[in-house]
Amino acid sequence: MRGKLMVGNWKMNGSLAANAALLSDILAGMGELSCRAAVCVPAPYLAQAQRLLSGSALWLGAQDVSAHDAGAYTGEVSADMLRDFAVRYCIVGHSERRQYHGETDAQVAAKVQRALSAGITPIVCLGESLSEREAGLTEAVVKRQLAAVIQANGHCISEIVVAYEPVWAIGTGLTASPDQAQQVHAVLRAQLRAASAHAERVPIVYGGSMGAANAADLLAQPDVDGGLIGGAALRATEFLSLLTTASC
Ligand code: PEP
């Protein structure tokens, strides 16, 4: 059994004061969890979050990692640097990075390699745009995105987390229906099975306007192993209710 994995993506939100309040409320309300949970914080707050989460059941995550080891890459953060802060998970290839920073499938695959070699679990984001969905290209797009990661990472592929995040559902309030999500997750699961004997281990989480109103139905799907949560992860009560739903 994979169990559920619930990950908050704070994106470019927060401040020292706001983070302290949010994490303190989450930790105070968390109790015993039977799902795994993490928060991916902006890089400048890794040290603060590492300190506040120390000894808790909430794992620390980052939102991006450099495709390079070290050197003249101004502004980049390496996987080894993330490891210095006990980062357990790192989002890679989020659609906002692909869209606003032109990240290609090959760059995403290289970032996945860096994270894995530093012992950090990459959460690899895949998903189609609205026009791709409307053109019937959903399967082709997510398979192409995952294929690049599989090709570059070979037998390590069972160490990743996959996040299916339809671009049209991120931050829009639109959510894939449970059936739509399950359909794509099943395609990704089959692709992982063809690549690795250990594919069953790979959590495939859903992201895109997940909230208290839709989480239970999405998480009930056989191939939906958790959530990548943006907006709702910034509100302690809603994030906690998602953790409770995932723990059922
Ligand atoms: C995300 O940023 O990965 C995300 C899923 O955001 P939201 O939940 O706000 O749609």
Side-chain angles (χ1 to χ4, degrees), residues 7-11 91 94-96 125 163-167 169-174 206-211 227-233 235:
V7 180
N9 173 15
W10 288 5
K11 311 196 189 201
I91 296 172
H94 192 280
S95 63
E96 287 151 14
C125 298
Y164 168 54
E165 297 209 302
V167 179
I170 297 178
T172 57
L174 298 173
Y206 169 82
S209 300
M210 186 183 263
L228 181 55
I229 303 134
R235 298 181 288 274

Side-chain angles (χ1 to χ4, degrees), residues 25-51:
D25 288 350
I26 293 172
L27 293 176
M30 239 172 50
E32 292 256 312
L33 289 181
S34 59
C35 66
R36 279 176 296 155
V39 283
C40 295
V41 310
Y45 297 127
L46 286 171
Q48 179 199 24
Q50 180 191 19
R51 181 171 48 77

Side-chain angles (χ1 to χ4, degrees), residues 60-147:
L60 180 58
Q63 298 176 12
D64 187 26
V65 64
S66 176
H68 305 284
D69 259 343
Y73 301 102
T74 303
E76 301 247 313
V77 176
S78 75
D80 285 348
M81 292 172 187
L82 296 181
R83 196 179 44 190
D84 273 346
F85 294 95
V87 164
R88 170 80 172 76
Y89 294 100
C90 182
I91 296 172
V92 177
H94 192 280
S95 63
E96 287 151 14
R97 304 258 356 137
R98 294 180 191 258
Q99 193 177 340
Y100 306 136
H101 302 272
E103 279 188 18
T104 63
D105 291 344
Q107 284 168 326
V108 171
K111 289 180 174 205
V112 169
Q113 270 178 325
R114 295 289 169 214
L116 287 171
S117 61
I120 294 168
T121 302
I123 300 174
V124 183
C125 298
L126 319 167
E128 81 288 3
S129 66
L130 187 56
S131 58
E132 288 165 336
R133 174 162 281 271
E134 286 172 347
L137 293 172
T138 299
E139 236 184 77
V141 169
V142 297
K143 282 169 91 171
R144 187 205 73 222
Q145 292 171 331
L146 183 56

